[in-house]
Amino acid sequence: MHKQNGRSGKRGYSQSEVEDALAGLIASTKRIHRKLNLLQIAKKIEIARKGLGNLKKVSEAIGLSTEMLRQFSRVTKLAPKARRFVARGVIQRVDIADRISRLPPGDQFPVAQAVARGDLNTDDVRAIITFRKNQPKLPISKVISRVMSSRNIKEYVVQFLVPPQEEMKNIEGRFSKLIGQDGIRSVTAEKRMGTLLLNKDGKNRLELIAKKKGLTKRSLVKEIISGEVK
Amino acid sequence: MINQIYEIELDHINISDWNVRHTDPEKGLEELAASIAKHGLFQPVVLMGEYGNPPYELIIGQRRFLAHKNILHKKKIRAVFAERLNRVQASIRSLVENMTRTDLNHADAAGAITYLYKKLDRDERKVKAETGLSLQRIRQYVDIEERASRKMKEKLRLKKVTPVDVQRVLRAASGDIDKADRLLEKMQKFTPYQKKRMVEYGEEHPHANDDKIIEEAKRPVVERTILVKLSDQARAGLEKAAQKLAMSPDEVAAQAVEDWLSRKGFISA
């Protein structure tokens, strides 16, 4: 138990410091958009742990499992170069940061860099960890590229009716201008049934534009087809 | 009940068959002997039998015993006597003792756990209660012990493959053990994604040969997500169904569409 007044714990955190840490943790660990980065959260967990005596008490105080708290704490185990991505808030997901910290120190930066670029997701990092154990001598760049090239290919299909007065090449042009050619695999039409095939980047861009305009993806597509959005 | 510690002559001790460690008992023995020589033996070995009436059977502490005998050339060892145990009880004691360490070979653990499983009415919950192992881990050991080939077990013993990979090939081969052996050989440099596809394709195509399964596993699958506009009512219904059925809204939607198309005769069953 921490003392009611004055300093407590081995490092001597005061009651108010511990309470601040707990408040910060409650505010930052239970929402997706956090004010604190993962390293700041790990620091607060450490203050709370020392103040309260152990992780279980911190867990009870903020209503988060000890395993989850450990996951946050493991972020501090990241190699310095990889840790920078976390400190800058480029890597915000604790599960990804935790997984990267389990890789050999020399592998962490290239993987963190690929995550920051948006090339790897949580599943990919998990796959890299497993694959790395089987292939300890392979350069990490090859491990990353092997995992990336072995992923399933994700495509997003939007089907639409081509308005009678509209020409297909105009619709194609508007999609290309808005989403970018590299996000589109194909735009085709058979009779008056059009099909837009997007890759992941294209889908993400469509999502972003829809969000900015306060529309659903499907409504945005409808407006692009009708020419309301150019 | 374990009680008094005795100094027992090594010549009076036999290693029990009930001791679960059969693989590499001499591995790392030099280090253990050096540690015992420097610090002494902290933990006595556990024997079965009646003190004063040798020979005794060693059920826990085989490596400590071998270090004393073969490297340190001692005459005696510190030991305690376990209460009278039957074979199942002795196996449990030996297993629990060894499972807490990381170096117990998979093959030894699988053999011992499967023995207990059979003796305890093939009830994995009883094995869990006795050993403290998770049900998932017990199932994995039993599954491998009962279904894996000798070749696979040997590879596990040599740590050339993982238990998860053995389970994967057993699933992908749909009961054909030779096919499973060949798959295990060929999938060694696969990424986790390729391994997953191997299992999926193998299960869906039980008559496919190993070469075909490997070929398909290497080929990335194109997953297509169709963006559909839904009414607010349909969206709310989808969310409700997803919650009630503990499925993702995508899965519910895919199933609903497939059911409807099938009922209307647009896709064959």
Side-chain angles (χ1 to χ4, degrees):
Chain A
M1 249 339 243
H2 62 285
K3 292 174 190 169
Q4 289 300 306
N5 292 302
R7 321 291 284 181
S8 71
K10 283 181 188 169
R11 291 275 300 275
Y13 292 112
S14 68
Q15 186 185 350
S16 67
E17 281 175 310
V18 174
E19 281 170 1
D20 280 352
L22 290 173
L25 289 172
I26 290 169
S28 286
T29 53
K30 297 194 169 182
R31 60 185 64 173
I32 297 167
H33 302 292
R34 298 185 281 257
K35 278 187 183 173
L36 304 176
N37 68 45
L38 295 173
L39 285 170
Q40 290 168 319
I41 293 173
K43 175 71 182 162
K44 289 202 181 296
I45 290 172
E46 187 57 12
I47 294 171
R49 188 185 66 79
K50 287 194 169 149
L52 298 184
N54 60 47
L55 212 54
K56 193 162 184 285
K57 285 181 183 163
V58 181
S59 156
E60 285 161 5
I62 67 168
L64 210 64
S65 71
T66 49
E67 183 41 45
M68 194 70 199
L69 291 174
R70 279 195 195 98
Q71 213 175 40
F72 277 108
S73 298
R74 278 196 291 264
V75 171
T76 57
K77 303 266 187 291
L78 280 167
K81 279 173 86 180
R83 204 184 304 164
R84 277 182 226 150
F85 290 105
V86 175
R88 294 207 306 264
V90 181
I91 294 178
Q92 291 182 321
R93 289 190 54 167
V94 66
D95 54 340
I96 291 190
D98 175 30
R99 292 215 167 97
I100 295 173
S101 76
R102 294 165 196 230
L103 283 162
D107 291 352
Q108 292 183 17
F109 176 69
V111 174
Q113 203 173 30
V115 169
R117 274 199 306 266
D119 291 346
L120 301 175
N121 61 25
T122 317
D123 290 342
D124 299 332
V125 177
R126 190 193 298 150
I128 284 171
I129 292 170
T130 314
F131 190 50
R132 186 40 144 182
K133 281 182 193 159
N134 290 341
Q135 304 291 330
K137 289 179 184 164
L138 205 64
I140 186 64
S141 57
K142 286 202 171 160
V143 171
I144 295 172
S145 65
R146 283 280 308 276
V147 166
M148 281 174 67
S149 65
S150 68
R151 288 186 297 212
N152 284 349
I153 298 162
K154 288 188 164 48
E155 288 181 347
Y156 301 85
V157 186
V158 186
Q159 290 195 302
F160 53 92
L161 282 175
V162 181
Q165 73 284 6
E166 195 61 87
E167 287 210 23
M168 196 53 201
K169 67 173 184 187
N170 292 339
I171 296 175
E172 193 176 343
R174 287 199 289 272
F175 277 130
S176 178
K177 194 177 158 194
L178 214 66
I179 296 169
Q181 195 53 53
D182 57 340
I184 298 173
R185 284 199 190 277
S186 64
V187 188
T188 53
E190 198 172 328
K191 293 178 183 166
R192 299 219 68 82
M193 178 61 80
T195 302
L196 169 69
L197 207 57
L198 301 172
N199 61 22
K200 203 175 173 190
D201 284 344
K203 194 264 288 184
N204 289 345
R205 272 177 229 151
L206 189 76
E207 245 167 25
L208 200 69
I209 300 164
K211 201 174 168 188
K212 275 184 189 164
K213 292 184 180 295
L215 298 168
T216 63
K217 291 191 284 282
R218 206 64 182 77
S219 310
L220 174 66
V221 168
K222 197 179 164 192
E223 294 199 359
I224 297 170
I225 293 161
S226 67
E228 286 172 62
V229 174
K230 292 181 181 173
Chain B
M1 194 61 194
I2 293 172
N3 36 43
Q4 201 178 335
I5 297 174
Y6 298 92
E7 289 279 335
I8 302 291
E9 289 196 25
L10 297 176
D11 290 345
H12 290 171
I13 300 173
N14 297 323
I15 297 172
S16 169
D17 283 345
W18 305 356
N19 189 299
V20 298
R21 187 190 290 275
H22 300 291
T23 306
D24 297 335
E26 308 238 356
K27 194 178 166 190
L29 216 54
E30 295 278 352
E31 290 90 336
L32 179 63
S35 163
I36 293 169
K38 190 172 177 187
H39 304 291
L41 181 64
F42 288 125
Q43 210 179 354
V45 297
V46 181
L47 304 177
M48 271 209 325
E50 198 182 326
Y51 178 65
N53 190 15
Y56 314 112
E57 288 210 75
L58 180 115
I59 57 166
I60 298 170
Q62 183 181 179
R63 295 176 69 247
R64 280 166 275 165
F65 169 77
L66 291 174
H68 272 68
K69 191 175 179 183
N70 299 347
I71 298 176
L72 300 170
H73 305 294
K74 298 230 178 200
K75 296 263 181 265
K76 291 183 176 178
I77 189 166
R78 279 153 52 86
V80 293
F81 283 86
E83 71 273 34
R84 282 186 184 282
L85 302 173
N86 61 31
R87 175 158 186 190
V88 173
Q89 291 165 327
S91 286
I92 291 168
R93 286 286 296 275
S94 179
L95 184 65
V96 169
E97 167 84 7
N98 281 293
M99 287 301 284
T100 54
R101 304 185 194 148
T102 53
D103 60 350
L104 183 65
N105 192 283
H106 186 279
D108 291 345
I113 287 166
T114 307
Y115 171 79
L116 288 179
Y117 173 71
K118 286 176 182 166
K119 290 289 171 189
L120 298 173
D121 312 321
R122 300 185 81 84
D123 185 341
E124 54 210 22
R125 286 176 197 283
K126 286 184 183 169
V127 181
K128 183 185 178 208
E130 293 291 350
T131 62
L133 294 170
S134 71
L135 286 176
Q136 193 188 4
R137 209 165 163 200
I138 293 165
R139 279 177 202 144
Q140 186 189 60
Y141 280 123
V142 174
D143 184 38
I144 288 176
E145 184 66 12
E146 293 194 329
R147 293 172 62 211
S149 68
R150 286 178 66 176
K151 235 187 222 178
M152 290 174 194
K153 287 179 188 171
E154 186 55 22
K155 282 182 177 169
L156 276 171
R157 193 183 292 276
L158 298 171
K159 294 188 176 165
K160 285 188 173 172
V161 295
T162 65
V164 178
D165 280 349
V166 170
Q167 285 190 300
R168 281 186 175 125
V169 294
L170 288 170
R171 281 174 61 193
S174 307
D176 180 339
I177 202 73
D178 291 334
K179 187 158 89 176
D181 270 330
R182 291 193 295 273
L183 285 173
L184 191 61
E185 199 71 50
K186 291 173 182 172
M187 62 159 275
Q188 284 313 303
K189 290 187 176 170
F190 269 14
T191 68
Y193 292 128
Q194 291 166 327
K195 289 175 185 176
K196 189 171 174 236
R197 285 198 293 267
M198 175 189 74
V199 176
E200 285 168 356
Y201 188 84
E203 284 185 329
E204 281 170 23
H205 302 85
H207 300 299
N209 66 27
D210 48 299
D211 283 335
K212 179 69 178 163
I213 296 173
I214 292 292
E215 184 192 320
E216 291 298 329
K218 283 180 181 170
R219 186 180 303 163
V221 171
V222 177
E223 291 175 1
R224 283 190 170 169
T225 304
I226 299 178
L227 304 180
V228 184
K229 188 180 179 185
L230 292 175
S231 67
D232 288 346
Q233 203 183 6
R235 204 157 32 201
L238 199 60
E239 274 173 28
K240 203 170 157 186
Q243 273 185 0
K244 194 162 184 185
L245 301 169
M247 290 163 75
S248 74
D250 278 2
E251 287 170 327
V252 177
Q255 203 169 313
V257 170
E258 213 166 295
D259 281 353
W260 187 89
L261 291 172
S262 176
R263 269 190 283 115
K264 297 285 179 184
F266 294 113
I267 50 174
S268 51

